[in-house]
Structures are given as C-alpha cells and as structure tokens.
Amino acid sequence: MHIPDGFLDAKTWVAASLISAATVSYAAKKTREVLSDRQIPRLAVMAAFIFAAQMVNFPVAGGTSGHLIGAALAAITFGPWSAVLIMSTVLIIQCLFFQDGGLTALGANILLMGITAPFIAHWVYHLFVSPGAGRSRMFAGTFAAAWCSTFVASMVCALLLAVSGTVIATVGFPAMAFWHAIIGIGEGVITALVLAYLTQVRGELVFENAKV
Amino acid sequence: MKREIMIILLVALAVAAFVSPFAASSPDGLERVAEDHEFIEKAEGQEVFQAPMPDYGIPSLADSVFSGSVAGIIGTILTFVLMLGLAKTLTTGKKV
C-alpha cells in the first residue's frame, strides 16, 4: 500500500506529513516513558523482522499480491505507541533506501501503515481479548485486529487519494476495500502464526508491555 | 545480546535472503487499483530523488539472482540498527 510520489497533491501530503510528524514525536515521548533497556533490542528485532516480512508478497486473487504490513504484530506485542515508532522506522528505511513509497508521500504512508494500522489493531484486539483470555480467543482477536488494521489503512489511503483528486471516492473506496479485504486475510493469518510462535517460545517477550 | 533476539534476527535475515526471491511480483492492492482505474501513470517520473536500491535490488547486481537477497539483508540490518539507535537515543538521560 506504499503510496508513490505523484499520487497525492501538495495540500494532502503536506497535511499528512504534519499529522504524522506530530504523532511520531508524541509516540517517541510516550515510548520513552515506558521503554526499559531490556526492550530496546526487542523493538529493533521486531522492526527488522517486519522489514524482511514486508518483502514477501503473497499472491491473492486475480493477479494481485499483498504483503504483511506488520502493524498489528507490533501493536499487540509492544502497544500502539512503540508500534508507531517501529513502523515509522521501517517505512523511512523503505522510502530512503529502496524507493518503496515516495518521499513526498512518506508522511502519508506513516499515517496509513505507521499510525492508523497499529491503533486500529490495538483497539480491535482489546475489544476482543480481555486480560487472562485463552489462547484461541487471543488468536481470533489477533486475526480480527490484523484484518481491520489493513482494511482501515486502505480506507484512509482511499480518502487521501480522493482528497488529492487522484481517484474519485465512489471508485477509490470500493476498489481499495475489495482488494484489502482479501489482503487483510493474509495479514491476519501471518500475524496470528507469528504471535503463536512468539508466545510459545517466550511468553514474556510478548504482552509484557502491551498495555502502553 | 540475548539468544532469542539473535534467533529472531536470523529468521528475519533468512526471510530477506531466501524467501523474498520467491515473492509474488504481481501488483499490490494499491498498484492494482491504480492500474484498473488508470491513475498509475500519475506516479511515472515523479520520484523526487533516486534511492540507492530501488525496488529492493542492487543496481550493480541487476542481473543476478542475489540482487534482491543482498538488498534484503542490507535493509534488514539497516532497520535493526536504526531502530536500536533510535530507542537507545530515547532512553539516554532517562531517569530510572
């Protein structure tokens, strides 16, 4: 879902950049309050894993592909504010070194995949899963959180494209919704599998600080 | 560094090196919508700068099967180091 340069008009990418810059700096403040030295390498390895996993596009119906965003994985593991920093780091590297996502669209891409997606995932997860919930409920909640994070991010993307005059809302919203409803299934399955693995090898690695 | 951090980092490097070459090359959701509704050309030639490894490839290894794997390994390490540095910077001077 990385928006390239040229899809967004100036007012839209400037506005998205300002919102993202303010949110990321607030996320840095919130993360600083709770971050322990033990967690620093965990954040780093999560960012590295999400970068690598985003390279693996999986085919979906009709000659289209999708890849993991990873925002739900980061948000459920570390909480939404740390997830904002993890996703922003990944998106900045992808933009500056790999031309994945435009430089003018970096703020917009952070808004979609680095802010909207982790917060949606966080809210949906905690709607389904209360503390002390069983494993099956945790994984159902993980799937729902990950699916919603992809879907809602794609809706924000459609909104930015509509505001920019790139594609009208009546076309952009249903088209983005259709493909990302399918891609979201992949996001849900991969996120649930990775979290199942992480909770099995090391329960305290996950959920230790996820309230923040 | 703790063992589980090393294991997950190795898994990430393995995914970047050995799994990414098998990734689907078809357009992603946004690209597909842009093609279907004919606004993909709005991005053509609009890049405001040239990244060193465009499309997850090393330009000098363009014809090699290793191009994507090398780019993936570099990116995974860069991401790890940048996040580590940022998180360390955030906690520097923090009162315990």
Side-chain angles (χ1 to χ4, degrees):
Chain A
M1 207 186 309
H2 293 62
I3 304 171
D5 289 317
F7 276 13
L8 302 179
D9 66 358
K11 70 171 186 314
T12 308
W13 70 253
V14 169
S17 301
L18 291 175
I19 296 169
S20 290
T23 312
V24 170
S25 33
Y26 189 69
K29 185 172 165 281
K30 295 287 282 183
T31 303
R32 181 187 155 91
E33 286 169 10
V34 296
L35 195 64
S36 62
D37 284 347
R38 290 158 52 72
Q39 279 209 301
I40 291 172
R42 295 177 184 171
L43 255 56
V45 82
M46 177 60 88
F49 177 80
I50 289 171
F51 173 87
Q54 284 208 10
M55 287 184 73
V56 184
N57 281 60
F58 49 83
V60 297
T64 301
S65 73
H67 63 70
L68 184 80
I69 297 175
L73 180 63
I76 295 168
T77 309
F78 296 108
W81 292 112
S82 299
V84 169
L85 296 189
I86 292 170
M87 295 308 299
S88 300
T89 301
V90 171
L91 289 161
I92 287 166
I93 295 278
Q94 289 172 328
C95 170
L96 295 184
F97 291 91
F98 300 95
Q99 206 106 48
D100 197 8
L103 188 60
T104 58
L106 178 59
N109 284 320
I110 289 176
L111 182 61
L112 308 178
M113 290 175 276
I115 297 169
T116 304
F119 272 94
I120 294 293
H122 174 73
W123 289 325
V124 172
Y125 184 79
H126 288 283
L127 205 64
F128 276 87
V129 186
S130 43
R135 278 179 80 81
S136 56
R137 197 170 174 85
M138 267 169 45
F139 294 123
T142 300
F143 179 89
W147 186 90
C148 291
S149 72
T150 301
F151 187 81
V152 177
S154 81
M155 294 296 87
V156 177
C157 183
L159 177 69
L160 297 182
L161 294 173
V163 171
S164 297
T166 298
V167 58
I168 57 166
T170 49
V171 170
F173 277 96
M176 287 297 281
F178 174 78
W179 289 110
H180 292 89
I182 305 173
I183 293 168
I185 297 171
E187 182 87 26
V189 170
I190 297 170
T191 306
L193 287 175
V194 173
L195 272 179
Y197 171 76
L198 287 179
T199 49
Q200 198 180 5
V201 291
R202 194 93 183 161
E204 54 120 1
L205 196 66
V206 186
F207 310 121
E208 184 189 346
N209 206 27
K211 281 133 275 163
V212 182
Chain B
M1 210 173 299
K2 278 166 73 180
R3 196 166 148 267
E4 65 256 35
I5 301 288
M6 289 307 294
I7 291 171
I8 300 171
L9 185 59
L10 287 174
V11 170
L13 288 167
V15 168
F18 304 122
V19 187
S20 76
F22 299 99
S25 56
S26 42
D28 76 3
L30 175 60
E31 285 166 343
R32 176 60 190 266
V33 171
E35 285 173 10
D36 286 354
H37 300 287
E38 292 165 351
F39 60 91
I40 192 91
E41 67 273 12
K42 287 203 172 199
E44 274 162 25
Q46 293 299 311
E47 297 90 351
V48 296
F49 79 115
Q50 183 65 49
M53 294 168 275
D55 295 323
Y56 301 92
I58 308 290
S60 58
L61 296 174
D63 299 324
S64 163
V65 289
F66 301 114
S67 175
S69 300
V70 173
I73 290 170
I74 294 172
T76 304
I77 294 170
L78 275 175
T79 309
F80 183 81
V81 170
L82 179 62
M83 188 75 251
L84 199 65
L86 277 176
K88 283 220 160 104
T89 309
L90 274 182
T91 50
T92 305
K94 182 178 164 177
K95 291 190 183 74
V96 182

